[in-house]
Amino acid sequence: MILILTHRQMDFDALASMIAAQALNPGSVMGIEGKPNSYVQEYITLAKDRLPFIKLKDVVWSKVRKVILVDTHDLSRAAGLKEVEELKQLEKLEVEIYDHHPYSGDLSTGMHIEQTGSCAALLVEQLIRHKVPLSSFEATSLALGIYEDTGSLLFDSTTVRDVKAVAYLLEQGANLSVVAEYLRKPLTEEQKALLQELIDRGQTELYDGVPVYISSAVSSEYVGGLALIAHRVGEMEGAETLFLVVKMENRVYLVGRSRGRGLAVNLIAQAFGGAGHAKAASATIKNMSVQEIVIKLQQEIKNRARSPHLVRDIMSYPVKTVNPETKLSEVEQILLRYGHTGVPVVEENTLVGIISRRDVEKGLKHGLEHAPVKGFMTKAVITVDANASWEEVQRLMVQHDIGRIPVIENAQLVGIVSRSDVLRLIYGSSVATETHLTRDRSLAMRQDILDLLENLPEEIKKLIKAGQRVADSLGYSVFIIGGFVRDLLLLNPTQDLDFVVEGNGHAFAQALYQELNRGQLTLHDSFGTARIEFPNGTHLDVASTRWEYYEFPGALPQVEESRLRDDLFRRDFTINAMALAINSDRYGELVDYYGGLRDLKQGEIRFLHHLSFIEDPTRILRAVRFAERYRFRLSKETQEGVATALKAGVLHKLSTERFTQEFLLILREKHFAKMAQSLVELGVLEEWFGEKLPWNFMHISETGNFTPEEKWLISVLLFNQQQIDSALSLKLSREMKRETLKFKEIQDALLAEPTLTLSMMDQYLSGVSKEIRVALRYDPALEQSMNNYEQAVEQLKLEINGFALRKLGISEGPEIGRILKEIRWAWLEQKIHTPAEEKQLMLQLTEQRRK
C-alpha cells in the first residue's frame, strides 16, 4: 500500500497536493488525523464520496510499502504520526517528498523540494509530464490549493510555475466560481470575535527600525481559519510583518505573515519548531504560556531584524554638479553626456539650487544658451538626510512630484537619489548601481575572489603584485577592469590585463615599467593611455580613469578625466563594467556599480544606457559576440536598443573599417555560425549591406575546426557574382579578397561543366588553397565530386618528378610540367595503378615528345 500524508492543520494546498499525489499513484490511500482548517473540513465533508481518506489509527502499517509526504519535508510534522506506535517502521519504508518550503539540506532520491508559491503546482507539473487525466473536481481542488497558498496569485512568493499550473487546470475544467466561494467565505461569529480581540490587543513595535505588528489572544474553544484571520489583520493594519499568538484549547498557535520587504517569518517560526516560507509560516506550541511565547518571539525578532534601507544605502554618488555661473549650453551638454534629467547647483560646497532639463530647454528655446544657470535654477530645493529611510524619499517624491532629491549630510551634498534608485530597491532594475549594500556583498565574496586570484598563472600574479607595489608607493587607487574581471569570475581567466588608475596613468605606467624591467612601453598622449608589450606576445594596458563621449554616432571617443564610476559607465556592457581593486588594503574587492555580477549569474548581456548603440554601433556586433561566446542572451532592453539603433540608421555612420574589424573578430570565434546567424535575425547584416543576402552560416559546424578564411568562404557559398562584390565592400585583406574571387571563379566553372571527371577537376583545383577546396565541399552540387577528388588526391602515388624527365632528355621548361600533369591525371582516372605502369606511361609520353 502507498500511504499519502501531509502536515497537521491541513490547508487547501495540502489537500490539493494529496489529491494530485493520489492521481499520480492509482490505488494509493490518503491518511489524515486531527482537525484540518475549518473550510477544508467543510470541503472534505461535502466531497466525502470523492475523497477516500483513512484515519491513521486504522492503518495496517505492515502493509505500507511507501509513504508520500506532501506540503512538508518533515515526517515529524505529519498529522498523527507522533501518536502511531508503528512510526519506527517508517525508517525502513521508501519515502517520497513533495514540498515547496525552504530546505537547506541535501536532496536525496525521491525528494522533490522546490520553492514555488504552492506545493500543488509541483504536483501539477508531474501530472502534465505523465499525461494523467483529471476530472473537473480534481482540477478544481488543485486550483483551490494553488489560489489559497498564493493569495490568488498575488503573493510575492507566486512563481510563473504556479500561474502555468493554474492555466493547465483551467483547461482541465477547473471551476473558478467554486474556488472563489471557498476563498471568499465570510468569517464565522467565532472568527469575528477572535479577529476583534486581536485587533484590540495588537500593536506595532520597532525592532532596529523595522516595524512588526504583534498581537495575542486566548480562546477556550478551537477556532479554525487562523490563517485567514491573519490575512484580514494584515489588510486592516497595513502591516508588512505580523505575528499572531493564539491559545486555543491546550495548544498555542503562532502564525507569521510578511509582505513586501518584511521579515522572513519562517526563520522565526523555526525557533518554535514551526515551518513555512519567508512570507508565511506557523508553529504549534505546547507547554508554554502565551506571555512566554510573546517574550521569546520579541527576542527572536530582535535578533533577526536589520535596519531598513537608508537613503545612504540607495543613493548614487559621487554627484555631478555645476556652479551658478555655468552656461546653459554647457549644462545641456552635461545632461546629454551623462544621461541625467537634472543636476544640482553647488557654490563653495553648499547646495544652492537644482536645474532640470526642462528648465534648460526653456532657456535655450529663447536663445539664452550663454546665460548662467543661476537665473533658471530652482532655489527652493527639496532635500533628504542621508540617514532617512527610503520610505521617506518615496513620500517626498510622491508629495512634491519630483524625480531626483539631493542627499545632505552635515550640510554637505553627499549624493543624489532618483526614482530609479527607489524602484530598483523595490522591484530590481535593468541596470543596477553600486550602493553601500552592493559593496557589502562585494566584501563578503572577497575571499572567493582572492582564491581565484591565487589560482592564476604565476606570471599573471607577478604582474598584479608588481602593479600593487607601484600603486601603494604612488598612493594611487588602481583597479583591474573589463574582460579580465569578467573571465576571472567565469573561471576562464585571460592573460591580458587592463589597469585603471585614479591618478596619473602615465606616471603609473612608467613606474610599473621600471618595476618590471622588461617589455616595451608605449605612451598614447591623446587618450591618456599606455601599453607594456612583452616578448611572449602578451601585454598590459594602463589608463587614467576617464569619461568618453561621442560627438556623433560612430565617431571615435572624446576623453576627459573622471572617476572610476564614470569610467566604468563608458563600457559597453555591465559584464565588462566591473573592476577589481589591487591596492594592498583593498586587494580582491570587486567594484560592481552596474550589476555585472548579477548579469553574469543570470547569463544576460545588458547595455549600460539607452544611447549605448547610438554612440557606438559596433557594440551591436560585440553584444552578439559576447552572447554566443558565453551562451548568454541579450536582455530585453538590449534587444530593444539594437532595434532602435538600426531603425535610426546608425550603422551608416560607422566606418567600413570599424564594422569590418568587429566582423572579423566574430569570424575568429568558435561559435561564429550562431553569432553570424544572430546578426541576420537582428537585421544587422541586411542593414549594413542594404539587401538580404543568402548567407550560409548554419553549415559551419562548431566542431569542424575551420580557419577564419574557410568560415568566410563557406558563408558566401550561395552568393552570385553581384552579391560577392557586395560582400567584398568590407575592408578585407588583399589575400582574402583574392581568395574569395578565386573561389567564386572555380565554383562557377565547376558547376558549369556538364560532367566532372577527376582530371578535369584537377585542372581547376591543383595548386589552389586548402581553404577553397574545403569550402567547395559544402556546395551540395559539388559535395560528392569534391569528396571523390580529395580521396583520389590523398591516394596518389606519383613517384616521377622533373629530374627523371630531364634524364630522359626532356628539356627544362613547360613541357616537363605538362607531362607530369598527364601522369597525375592518369593516376586520378585510374588508368595506371602501379609504379611500373607509371614508368611505362612516362616513357610513352617522352617518346611522343621526341617524335
Side-chain angles (χ1 to χ4, degrees), residues 656 659-660 663-664 688-689 691 693 695 712-713 716 719-745:
T656 304
F659 184 91
T660 303
F663 186 81
L664 290 177
W688 177 260
F689 290 104
E691 58 180 318
L693 296 171
W695 297 99
W712 169 251
L713 294 178
V716 300
F719 285 20
N720 59 35
Q721 188 58 54
Q722 183 179 353
Q723 292 166 336
I724 287 286
D725 294 339
S726 177
L728 292 181
S729 64
L730 294 175
K731 292 292 183 180
L732 304 174
S733 67
R734 289 183 181 179
E735 179 62 26
M736 204 164 176
K737 285 189 175 182
R738 189 162 49 243
E739 283 285 278
T740 306
L741 293 171
K742 184 69 174 176
F743 166 75
K744 189 60 188 172
E745 177 189 341

Coordinates of all heavy atoms in Angstrom, one line a residue, residues 656 659-660 663-664 688-689 691 693 695 712-713 716 719-745:
T656 N 33.6 51.8 -42.6 CA 33.7 50.4 -43.1 C 34.8 49.6 -42.3 O 34.7 48.4 -42.0 CB 34.0 50.3 -44.6 OG1 32.9 51.1 -45.3 CG2 34.0 48.9 -45.1
F659 N 33.4 48.5 -38.9 CA 32.5 47.4 -39.0 C 33.2 46.1 -39.4 O 33.0 45.0 -38.8 CB 31.4 47.7 -40.1 CG 30.4 46.6 -40.2 CD1 29.2 46.7 -39.4 CD2 30.5 45.6 -41.0 CE1 28.2 45.7 -39.5 CE2 29.5 44.6 -41.1 CZ 28.4 44.7 -40.4
T660 N 34.2 46.2 -40.3 CA 34.9 45.0 -40.7 C 35.7 44.4 -39.6 O 35.8 43.2 -39.4 CB 35.8 45.4 -41.9 OG1 35.1 45.9 -43.0 CG2 36.6 44.1 -42.4
F663 N 33.5 42.5 -37.4 CA 33.0 41.3 -38.1 C 34.1 40.2 -38.1 O 33.9 39.0 -38.0 CB 32.6 41.6 -39.5 CG 31.9 40.4 -40.2 CD1 30.6 40.1 -40.0 CD2 32.7 39.6 -41.1 CE1 30.0 39.0 -40.7 CE2 32.1 38.5 -41.8 CZ 30.8 38.2 -41.5
L664 N 35.3 40.6 -38.4 CA 36.5 39.7 -38.4 C 36.7 39.1 -37.0 O 37.1 37.9 -36.9 CB 37.7 40.4 -38.9 CG 37.7 40.8 -40.4 CD1 39.0 41.5 -40.7 CD2 37.6 39.5 -41.3
W688 N 23.4 46.7 -43.0 CA 24.8 47.1 -43.4 C 25.0 47.0 -44.9 O 25.4 47.9 -45.6 CB 25.9 46.3 -42.7 CG 27.2 46.7 -43.2 CD1 28.0 46.0 -44.0 CD2 28.0 47.8 -42.8 NE1 29.2 46.6 -44.3 CE2 29.2 47.8 -43.5 CE3 27.7 48.9 -42.0 CZ2 30.2 48.8 -43.4 CZ3 28.7 49.9 -41.8 CH2 29.9 49.8 -42.6
F689 N 24.6 45.8 -45.5 CA 24.8 45.6 -46.9 C 23.7 46.1 -47.8 O 23.8 46.2 -49.0 CB 25.0 44.1 -47.2 CG 26.3 43.5 -46.6 CD1 26.3 42.8 -45.5 CD2 27.5 43.8 -47.3 CE1 27.5 42.3 -45.0 CE2 28.7 43.3 -46.8 CZ 28.7 42.5 -45.6
E691 N 20.8 44.9 -48.4 CA 20.0 43.8 -49.0 C 20.1 42.6 -48.2 O 21.0 42.4 -47.4 CB 20.5 43.5 -50.5 CG 21.9 43.1 -50.5 CD 22.4 42.8 -52.0 OE1 21.6 42.2 -52.7 OE2 23.5 43.2 -52.3
L693 N 21.1 39.1 -48.1 CA 22.0 38.2 -48.8 C 21.8 36.7 -48.3 O 21.4 36.5 -47.2 CB 23.4 38.6 -48.6 CG 23.8 40.0 -49.1 CD1 25.2 40.4 -48.7 CD2 23.7 40.0 -50.6
W695 N 23.2 34.2 -46.9 CA 24.3 33.7 -46.1 C 24.2 32.2 -45.8 O 23.0 31.7 -45.7 CB 24.4 34.5 -44.8 CG 24.7 36.0 -45.0 CD1 23.8 37.0 -45.0 CD2 26.0 36.6 -45.2 NE1 24.4 38.2 -45.2 CE2 25.8 38.0 -45.3 CE3 27.3 36.1 -45.4 CZ2 26.8 38.9 -45.6 CZ3 28.3 37.0 -45.6 CH2 28.0 38.4 -45.7
W712 N 34.6 32.1 -43.9 CA 34.2 33.2 -44.7 C 33.7 32.6 -46.1 O 32.6 33.0 -46.6 CB 35.3 34.2 -44.9 CG 35.0 35.2 -46.0 CD1 35.6 35.3 -47.2 CD2 34.0 36.3 -46.0 NE1 35.1 36.3 -48.0 CE2 34.1 36.9 -47.3 CE3 33.1 36.7 -45.1 CZ2 33.4 38.0 -47.6 CZ3 32.3 37.8 -45.4 CH2 32.4 38.4 -46.7
L713 N 34.5 31.8 -46.7 CA 34.2 31.2 -48.0 C 32.9 30.4 -47.9 O 32.1 30.4 -48.8 CB 35.3 30.4 -48.5 CG 36.6 31.2 -48.9 CD1 37.7 30.3 -49.4 CD2 36.3 32.3 -49.9
V716 N 29.8 32.6 -47.9 CA 29.3 33.3 -49.1 C 29.1 32.2 -50.3 O 29.1 32.6 -51.4 CB 30.4 34.3 -49.6 CG1 30.5 35.4 -48.5 CG2 31.7 33.7 -49.9
F719 N 26.3 32.9 -52.8 CA 26.3 34.2 -53.4 C 26.5 34.1 -55.0 O 27.3 33.3 -55.4 CB 27.3 35.1 -52.9 CG 27.0 35.6 -51.5 CD1 26.1 35.0 -50.6 CD2 27.7 36.8 -51.0 CE1 25.9 35.4 -49.4 CE2 27.4 37.2 -49.7 CZ 26.5 36.6 -48.9
N720 N 25.8 35.0 -55.7 CA 26.2 35.2 -57.1 C 27.3 36.2 -57.2 O 27.7 36.8 -56.1 CB 25.0 35.5 -58.0 CG 24.3 36.8 -57.5 OD1 25.0 37.8 -57.0 ND2 23.0 36.9 -57.6
Q721 N 27.8 36.5 -58.4 CA 28.9 37.4 -58.5 C 28.6 38.8 -58.0 O 29.4 39.5 -57.3 CB 29.4 37.5 -60.0 CG 30.7 38.3 -60.2 CD 31.8 37.7 -59.4 OE1 32.1 36.5 -59.5 NE2 32.5 38.5 -58.6
Q722 N 27.4 39.3 -58.2 CA 27.0 40.6 -57.8 C 27.0 40.7 -56.2 O 27.4 41.6 -55.6 CB 25.6 41.0 -58.3 CG 25.2 42.4 -58.0 CD 23.8 42.7 -58.5 OE1 23.3 42.0 -59.3 NE2 23.3 43.9 -58.2
Q723 N 26.5 39.6 -55.6 CA 26.4 39.6 -54.2 C 27.8 39.4 -53.6 O 28.1 40.0 -52.5 CB 25.5 38.4 -53.7 CG 24.1 38.6 -54.1 CD 23.2 37.4 -54.0 OE1 23.8 36.2 -54.1 NE2 21.9 37.5 -53.8
I724 N 28.7 38.7 -54.3 CA 30.1 38.6 -53.9 C 30.7 40.0 -53.8 O 31.4 40.4 -52.9 CB 30.9 37.7 -54.8 CG1 30.6 36.2 -54.5 CG2 32.4 37.9 -54.6 CD1 31.1 35.6 -53.3
D725 N 30.5 40.8 -54.9 CA 31.0 42.1 -55.0 C 30.5 43.0 -53.8 O 31.2 43.8 -53.2 CB 30.6 42.8 -56.3 CG 31.3 42.1 -57.5 OD1 32.3 41.4 -57.3 OD2 30.8 42.3 -58.6
S726 N 29.2 42.8 -53.4 CA 28.7 43.5 -52.3 C 29.4 43.1 -51.0 O 29.7 44.0 -50.2 CB 27.2 43.2 -52.2 OG 26.6 43.8 -51.0
A727 N 29.6 41.8 -50.8 CA 30.3 41.3 -49.6 C 31.7 41.8 -49.5 O 32.2 42.1 -48.4 CB 30.3 39.8 -49.6
L728 N 32.3 42.0 -50.7 CA 33.7 42.4 -50.7 C 33.9 43.9 -50.5 O 35.0 44.5 -50.6 CB 34.4 42.0 -52.0 CG 34.6 40.5 -52.1 CD1 35.3 40.2 -53.5 CD2 35.4 39.9 -51.0
S729 N 32.7 44.6 -50.2 CA 32.8 46.0 -49.9 C 33.4 46.2 -48.5 O 33.9 47.3 -48.1 CB 31.4 46.7 -49.9 OG 30.6 46.1 -48.9
L730 N 33.5 45.1 -47.7 CA 34.2 45.1 -46.4 C 35.7 45.3 -46.7 O 36.2 44.9 -47.7 CB 33.9 43.7 -45.7 CG 32.5 43.4 -45.2 CD1 32.5 42.0 -44.6 CD2 32.0 44.4 -44.2
K731 N 36.3 45.8 -45.7 CA 37.8 46.1 -45.8 C 38.6 44.8 -45.4 O 39.3 44.8 -44.4 CB 38.2 47.3 -44.9 CG 37.6 48.6 -45.4 CD 38.2 49.1 -46.7 CE 37.7 50.4 -47.1 NZ 38.3 50.9 -48.3
L732 N 38.4 43.8 -46.3 CA 39.2 42.6 -46.0 C 40.6 42.7 -46.6 O 40.9 43.6 -47.3 CB 38.5 41.4 -46.7 CG 37.0 41.2 -46.4 CD1 36.4 40.1 -47.3 CD2 36.8 40.8 -44.9
S733 N 41.4 41.8 -46.1 CA 42.8 41.9 -46.6 C 42.8 41.5 -48.1 O 41.9 40.9 -48.7 CB 43.7 40.8 -45.9 OG 43.2 39.5 -46.2
R734 N 43.9 42.0 -48.8 CA 44.0 41.7 -50.3 C 44.0 40.2 -50.5 O 43.3 39.7 -51.5 CB 45.3 42.3 -50.8 CG 45.3 43.8 -50.9 CD 46.6 44.3 -51.5 NE 46.7 45.7 -51.6 CZ 47.7 46.4 -52.0 NH1 48.8 45.8 -52.5 NH2 47.7 47.7 -52.1
E735 N 44.7 39.4 -49.7 CA 44.7 38.0 -49.9 C 43.3 37.4 -49.7 O 42.9 36.5 -50.5 CB 45.7 37.4 -48.8 CG 45.8 35.9 -48.9 CD 46.3 35.4 -50.2 OE1 47.0 36.1 -50.9 OE2 46.0 34.2 -50.6
M736 N 42.6 37.9 -48.7 CA 41.2 37.3 -48.5 C 40.3 37.7 -49.7 O 39.4 36.8 -50.1 CB 40.7 37.9 -47.2 CG 39.6 37.0 -46.6 SD 39.4 37.4 -44.8 CE 38.0 36.3 -44.4
K737 N 40.4 38.9 -50.2 CA 39.6 39.3 -51.3 C 39.9 38.4 -52.6 O 39.1 38.0 -53.3 CB 39.8 40.8 -51.6 CG 39.0 41.7 -50.7 CD 39.1 43.1 -51.1 CE 38.3 44.0 -50.2 NZ 38.3 45.4 -50.7
R738 N 41.2 38.2 -52.8 CA 41.7 37.4 -53.9 C 41.2 36.0 -53.8 O 40.8 35.4 -54.8 CB 43.2 37.5 -54.0 CG 43.8 36.9 -55.2 CD 45.3 37.3 -55.5 NE 46.1 37.2 -54.3 CZ 46.7 38.2 -53.6 NH1 46.5 39.4 -54.0 NH2 47.4 38.0 -52.6
E739 N 41.3 35.4 -52.6 CA 40.8 34.1 -52.4 C 39.3 34.0 -52.6 O 38.8 33.0 -53.2 CB 41.1 33.6 -51.0 CG 42.5 33.2 -50.7 CD 42.9 31.9 -51.3 OE1 42.6 30.8 -50.7 OE2 43.4 31.8 -52.4
T740 N 38.5 35.0 -52.2 CA 37.1 35.0 -52.4 C 36.7 35.0 -53.9 O 35.9 34.2 -54.4 CB 36.4 36.2 -51.7 OG1 36.8 36.2 -50.4 CG2 34.9 36.1 -51.8
L741 N 37.4 35.9 -54.7 CA 37.1 35.9 -56.1 C 37.6 34.6 -56.8 O 36.9 34.1 -57.7 CB 37.9 37.1 -56.7 CG 37.4 38.5 -56.3 CD1 38.3 39.6 -56.7 CD2 35.9 38.7 -56.8
K742 N 38.7 34.1 -56.4 CA 39.2 32.8 -57.0 C 38.2 31.7 -56.7 O 37.9 30.8 -57.5 CB 40.6 32.5 -56.4 CG 41.2 31.2 -57.0 CD 41.6 31.5 -58.4 CE 42.4 30.3 -59.0 NZ 42.7 30.4 -60.4
F743 N 37.7 31.7 -55.4 CA 36.7 30.7 -55.0 C 35.5 30.7 -55.9 O 35.0 29.7 -56.4 CB 36.4 30.9 -53.5 CG 35.1 30.1 -53.1 CD1 35.2 28.8 -52.9 CD2 33.9 30.8 -52.9 CE1 34.0 28.1 -52.4 CE2 32.8 30.1 -52.5 CZ 32.9 28.8 -52.3
K744 N 35.0 31.9 -56.1 CA 33.8 32.1 -56.9 C 34.0 31.7 -58.3 O 33.2 31.0 -59.0 CB 33.3 33.5 -56.8 CG 31.9 33.7 -57.4 CD 30.9 32.9 -56.7 CE 29.5 32.9 -57.4 NZ 28.6 31.9 -56.8
E745 N 35.2 32.0 -58.9 CA 35.5 31.7 -60.2 C 35.6 30.2 -60.4 O 35.0 29.6 -61.4 CB 36.9 32.3 -60.6 CG 37.4 31.9 -62.0 CD 38.8 32.4 -62.2 OE1 39.3 33.2 -61.4 OE2 39.5 31.8 -63.1

